[in-house]
Amino acid sequence: MGKKYISKRLQNHNLRFQRLISTNSIDNTAQTSIEHLTTTIEKKLKLSRAQLRARSTSTTQSTIEDEDEPAFVDDESESHDIPYNSVNIIVNIGMILNLVNTFRCPSCNRVGKMSEKVTQRRSLLYHITFSCTCSFETSFTNSTQLVHSSTSRMDELNMMACVAANVAGIKRTGMTTILGMLNILPPVQIENWNKYQKIYSNALDVVKDESFGRGAEEAAEQSSEAADHEGVTNIKVSIDGTWLTRRGHFSLHGVSTVCSTADPPKVLDFECLSRHCTTCSGLLAIREHNPEMYQQLLAEHIESGCEENHSGSSSGMEAADVVKVFCRSEVKHLLRYTTYIGDGDANNERALLDAQPYGKIRIRRLQCINHFSKRMRTALETIKKNYKGAKLEDGLPIGGRNRRLTDDKIHQLTVYYGSAIRSHVNDLESMKVACWATFHHYSSTCENPNHDYCDPRKCHMYRYKSFDPNKHSLAPAVMNAIRPVYEKMCSDEMLSKVVDGGTTNSNESYHSYIWSLCPKTQFHSAKYVRDATSLAAILYNDGYQLSITKRLQQCGVLSTTPACVRMLKLTDNQRVKEHKFKTKAAQQKKRHRQILTEQRLNQQEKYNYASGAFD
C-alpha cells in the first residue's frame, strides 16, 4: 500500500473516532428511542431529529424543533406559530409605493410626493430607491447577501430559488414558469444560475459525505463482526443499478448504489457513469468550421474535466460502478462489503471476482429474495406453456377453471413460496420444510388432507371451519406436473443462495427518489443526474428537515427560514403518515376491492374492450 492510501485511512479513522466521541450520547439515546418505532421512515427521522437537537445552539436550528416537542405531528395545526417578520411575501411594487406615499417625507414634511425606481435587480433581488421632489432619497433591498467564501454580488433569495428548483426537480426552466405565473420576473441568467448551481453542488457533496459517514458508522456498529487491527469492519450490503432509460434503449446515464442492511438501512455510496457530455456535444458544431479551435477547446475541456466517464455499453455500467464503489470502501468508510445481496446480474459477481477489491478476501453473494421468488413464477409459467395443447394423465389440459393451473394460482404459489423464504431466512432446513408446505397445501383434499407442515397461524384449514380444500386445491395431475419445479426450487442448492439473505428494497426505494428528482421523461446532463443522486441519498437517509436545512447553511443561507423549516417538517410527517397505513393486509384488501369493482363495471359495459376485437 502507498503512503497516501495509509494516510487517508488513518485520517478517516481519526475523524470517525472523533465523531463517535462527540455524538455517542446522542446516538445512544436515539437508538434506544427508535426501538418502539415500527416503520423504517420513523426510525430514520427519529435519528435525524436527534442530530437537529444536537445542533440547536445555532439560531437557525433553534427554531426547528423543541426538546419537548412530539416526535411526529400529523396535523398542520399542531405546528408552531411562525412569526411573520421572518418570512418572505409576494408584493407588488406599486403597493409598496402607495404605502410609502401615506407617510410624510422626513425632509420636506409633505405627503404623497414619492416616486420609486429600481436601481438594481438580480433576478429575485430588488434594490428600490424612493425619491421625493425635495431630493430626499431612501432605499431598501428585499434580500441579504449570501455569506459564502466564493460569492460576490450573490444573495440568499436567489440561492434558495436554485435549491428549490433542485429539490422540486424542475430545473431553471420550471422555476421560470412558476415565477412567471406569479407575475415575477424570471431567475438570473444562465451564466449566473450556473454559479449558484456550483455552490449548491459543492454544498451537496459536503452534506452527502456527512450522511454517508453516519450511515457507515451505524452499519459498523450493527455488524456481527468486530473491526480488525486496521479498524476495518466487514459488513453485509445490498447493491443494485438503475438507468435513466431502460437498459435496452441504450441509456446514456447509469447509477449503481450500495445500501446497508442495518436497521434502518441507509445509502452508503453510489457511482454515476455517463456516456454523454453536453460540452463535448456542443463543441461538435465548431469542428466543421474551425478544426484548430475545436481541438484547442476540446483539450481545455478534457483537462478541466469531462462528464463522459464510461466508454462501454449501457449494460456494463452497473458492474463498472460496483467495482469502483467496492474498491474505495476501505478508504472512504473503513468498511469491507464482504457479503452483498443482489439480483440475478451475474456480471456484477464476475466483475468483483476479477477486480478482487479486498485482495484474497472472498466476497459472498446472496440472492435477493424478491427476485429469487420470481423464478417460481417463471418456472410454473414455462410448465404451463410446455403443456399447452397436451393432455395430462387425467385427460384434461393443465389450464382451465376447475382446480387447474391458472394465472391466479401461479401468483398465489409464487407469493407463498417467497413468504416461506422470508419467514425462515436464517434456517435452511425450516425454510425447505416451509417451501414444501405450500406444495402439500395445494395438493390436499377433504379425503386426503395434508396440512401437517402448514403454519397453523396462516393456514386457512386451521383458521376457518368453513374452508373447503377441494375448491382451493389443484388436481393431482396438475400437482404431478409441477412437482419437478418444486424439487428444483426447494433443493438445498437453490435455497442456500438466500439463507441469511434479504432484499434490495432499500435500493429500489432510493432509486424512486432519484427519478422523482430527475424524471426519466426528460433529458438530463451527467452533472444534473449526479446532483440528483446525491440529493436523493441524503433525503433517503435523513429526511427533508435535516438534509435541506444543513444544505442551506452550507450554501451560505444564514437567515432564519421558519416557513421553509415548517414545510420540510410537514413533508417528513406526511411521509410517515402515508407509509404507516400502507400495510400488506390493507394493500391486499384495497387491491381486491379494485378488482371486484372493475369486474362489475366491465359487466355493465355494452361493448367491452378487447385488442383488435372491433376491426
Side-chain angles (χ1 to χ4, degrees):
M1 295 183 183
K3 294 182 179 179
K4 185 177 180 180
Y5 175 78
I6 297 175
S7 175
K8 181 66 175 177
R9 289 182 61 177
L10 291 175
Q11 182 182 0
N12 288 346
H13 181 72
N14 292 334
L15 289 175
R16 176 181 169 187
F17 181 71
Q18 292 296 331
R19 285 201 301 265
L20 284 173
I21 293 177
S22 61
T23 61
N24 188 33
S25 59
I26 298 173
D27 291 342
N28 288 340
T29 304
Q31 288 289 351
T32 304
S33 61
I34 68 173
E35 292 179 355
H36 70 284
L37 301 177
T38 56
T39 65
T40 301
I41 297 179
E42 283 183 300
K43 295 176 182 178
K44 289 180 180 179
L45 294 183
K46 189 67 176 179
L47 294 174
S48 300
R49 293 181 178 180
Q51 294 289 332
L52 285 170
R53 288 194 296 270
R55 301 168 58 246
S56 60
T57 54
S58 64
T59 305
T60 303
Q61 297 301 330
S62 63
T63 63
I64 292 179
E65 185 169 353
D66 241 3
E67 192 70 33
D68 299 330
E69 186 181 356
F72 303 103
V73 180
D74 293 333
D75 192 359
E76 294 188 15
S77 62
E78 298 183 23
S79 301
H80 294 302
D81 293 332
I82 297 177
Y84 291 115
N85 59 354
S86 59
V87 300
N88 299 325
I89 63 172
I90 299 175
V91 61
N92 188 275
I93 294 180
M95 293 182 178
I96 300 178
L97 178 62
N98 293 336
L99 176 64
V100 172
N101 279 324
T102 60
F103 299 100
R104 296 182 181 273
C105 174
S107 178
C108 64
N109 205 27
R110 290 187 296 180
V111 179
K113 298 299 181 180
M114 288 286 186
S115 62
E116 91 285 353
K117 182 180 180 181
V118 178
T119 57
Q120 186 181 16
R121 187 187 82 87
R122 295 195 298 270
S123 182
L124 302 180
L125 178 138
Y126 284 82
H127 190 278
I128 306 176
T129 301
F130 297 94
S131 303
C132 183
T133 55
C134 68
S135 301
F136 173 79
E137 292 185 352
T138 184
S139 61
F140 83 98
T141 305
N142 65 329
S143 180
T144 57
Q145 186 177 358
L146 191 66
V147 182
H148 198 275
S149 58
S150 62
T151 61
S152 60
R153 294 173 56 83
M154 303 179 76
D155 58 277
E156 291 186 351
L157 204 55
N158 286 318
M159 185 74 251
M160 295 180 69
C162 179
V163 175
N166 283 271
V167 173
I170 58 176
K171 298 184 180 180
R172 181 179 177 274
T173 306
M175 183 57 66
T176 303
T177 303
I178 292 177
L179 295 179
M181 293 302 298
L182 295 174
N183 196 30
I184 301 175
L185 293 176
V188 293
Q189 297 298 322
I190 187 65
E191 295 81 5
N192 294 325
W193 180 273
N194 291 336
K195 295 180 181 179
Y196 284 104
Q197 188 70 29
K198 184 177 181 181
I199 296 174
Y200 165 81
S201 299
N202 294 335
L204 196 61
D205 291 337
V206 174
V207 179
K208 175 198 68 177
D209 291 340
E210 292 178 359
S211 178
F212 285 176
R214 289 192 298 270
E217 291 171 8
E218 295 171 10
E221 291 172 0
Q222 298 185 34
S223 176
S224 58
E225 300 184 30
D228 59 13
H229 63 282
E230 294 181 342
V232 182
T233 308
N234 298 336
I235 66 169
K236 179 170 65 174
V237 297
S238 61
I239 66 172
D240 196 16
T242 182
W243 289 262
L244 181 61
T245 56
R246 289 186 177 182
R247 191 188 316 181
H249 291 179
F250 307 103
S251 179
L252 298 177
H253 310 294
V255 182
S256 290
T257 59
V258 174
C259 295
S260 67
T261 55
D263 185 24
K266 291 186 176 182
V267 181
L268 299 180
D269 203 355
F270 68 83
E271 183 65 31
C272 297
L273 289 183
S274 177
R275 301 168 55 199
H276 175 80
C277 177
T278 53
T279 305
C280 293
S281 299
L283 292 175
L284 293 177
I286 307 176
R287 183 174 61 180
E288 297 180 1
H289 304 286
N290 195 337
E292 295 182 359
M293 181 181 290
Y294 168 77
Q295 293 297 334
Q296 180 182 354
L297 294 176
L298 183 62
E300 294 175 357
H301 165 63
I302 294 176
E303 184 178 355
S304 61
C306 181
E307 294 180 352
E308 183 179 354
N309 55 4
H310 181 71
S311 58
S313 64
S314 299
S315 59
M317 286 182 177
E318 182 177 350
D321 283 340
V322 167
V323 170
K324 289 184 178 181
V325 171
F326 273 62
C327 288
R328 65 181 180 226
S329 66
E330 291 181 286
V331 177
K332 189 171 185 178
H333 295 313
L334 293 176
L335 297 175
R336 292 193 197 97
Y337 309 143
T338 53
T339 305
Y340 75 91
I341 301 168
D343 50 23
D345 295 339
N347 55 347
N348 291 338
E349 186 175 9
R350 294 171 183 174
L352 290 173
L353 184 63
D354 295 337
Q356 294 185 345
Y358 308 131
K360 296 182 179 180
I361 298 178
R362 177 178 172 269
I363 299 176
R364 181 189 176 198
R365 175 193 171 222
L366 297 175
Q367 290 275 2
C368 172
I369 296 177
N370 292 340
H371 289 81
F372 184 82
S373 60
K374 291 179 182 178
R375 296 185 180 183
M376 175 64 76
R377 178 194 299 273
T378 303
L380 292 176
E381 290 176 347
T382 303
I383 287 289
K384 185 178 180 180
K385 183 178 179 180
N386 293 338
Y387 276 96
K388 186 176 182 179
K391 302 293 184 180
L392 299 183
E393 56 190 35
D394 58 357
L396 298 175
I398 192 171
R401 292 180 176 272
N402 187 18
R403 302 180 65 188
R404 314 310 287 184
L405 188 62
T406 61
D407 293 339
D408 185 50
K409 292 295 184 183
I410 292 177
H411 174 72
Q412 292 179 9
L413 290 171
T414 304
V415 171
Y416 294 155
Y417 178 75
S419 177
I421 294 176
R422 295 184 187 90
S423 303
H424 307 82
V425 69
N426 297 320
D427 188 352
L428 177 61
E429 292 301 323
S430 60
M431 182 191 302
K432 185 177 179 180
V433 172
C435 290
W436 272 109
T438 62
F439 179 85
H440 296 310
H441 177 84
Y442 275 90
S443 62
S444 300
T445 60
C446 294
E447 297 78 15
N448 185 24
N450 195 4
H451 297 275
D452 296 338
Y453 298 102
C454 294
D455 188 348
R457 297 171 297 179
K458 299 179 180 180
C459 181
H460 288 190
M461 183 68 182
Y462 296 97
R463 296 181 61 187
Y464 305 107
K465 295 181 179 179
S466 59
F467 178 73
D468 187 1
N470 291 331
K471 296 181 180 180
H472 181 72
S473 62
L474 294 174
V478 176
M479 298 305 298
N480 292 335
I482 67 174
R483 187 179 184 90
V485 174
Y486 271 84
E487 290 177 349
K488 178 183 178 181
M489 297 301 298
C490 298
S491 63
D492 293 345
E493 180 183 0
M494 294 293 290
L495 294 179
S496 61
K497 298 179 181 180
V498 291
V499 175
D500 297 328
T503 67
T504 57
N505 288 345
S506 55
N507 302 76
E508 300 290 350
S509 178
Y510 168 49
H511 294 166
S512 67
Y513 271 78
I514 298 175
W515 305 125
S516 66
L517 297 174
C518 62
K520 292 188 175 185
T521 55
Q522 303 176 11
F523 173 80
H524 306 284
S525 65
K527 184 68 171 61
Y528 189 81
V529 173
R530 193 173 296 110
D531 287 346
T533 306
S534 300
L535 175 59
I538 59 178
L539 292 179
Y540 178 80
N541 285 357
D542 304 319
Y544 283 77
Q545 189 178 353
L546 175 63
S547 59
I548 294 181
T549 51
K550 290 183 67 175
R551 188 164 63 257
L552 287 175
Q553 286 190 343
Q554 195 68 35
C555 288
V557 180
L558 301 183
S559 301
T560 57
T561 54
C564 176
V565 171
R566 179 182 180 181
M567 178 274 297
L568 299 175
K569 185 173 180 179
L570 291 176
T571 301
D572 283 334
N573 290 337
Q574 186 64 25
R575 291 171 58 214
V576 174
K577 184 178 179 180
E578 291 176 355
H579 184 75
K580 206 167 185 179
F581 296 101
K582 288 183 179 180
T583 60
K584 184 178 180 181
Q587 286 180 336
Q588 289 179 346
K589 291 180 180 179
K590 181 180 179 181
R591 187 161 54 247
H592 185 64
R593 288 196 301 268
Q594 290 176 344
I595 293 174
L596 294 178
T597 302
E598 188 67 21
Q599 290 177 350
R600 187 179 69 255
L601 293 175
N602 286 334
Q603 293 174 357
Q604 298 174 359
E605 291 288 341
K606 184 176 181 180
Y607 304 106
N608 288 328
Y609 170 83
S611 179
F614 305 102
D615 289 342

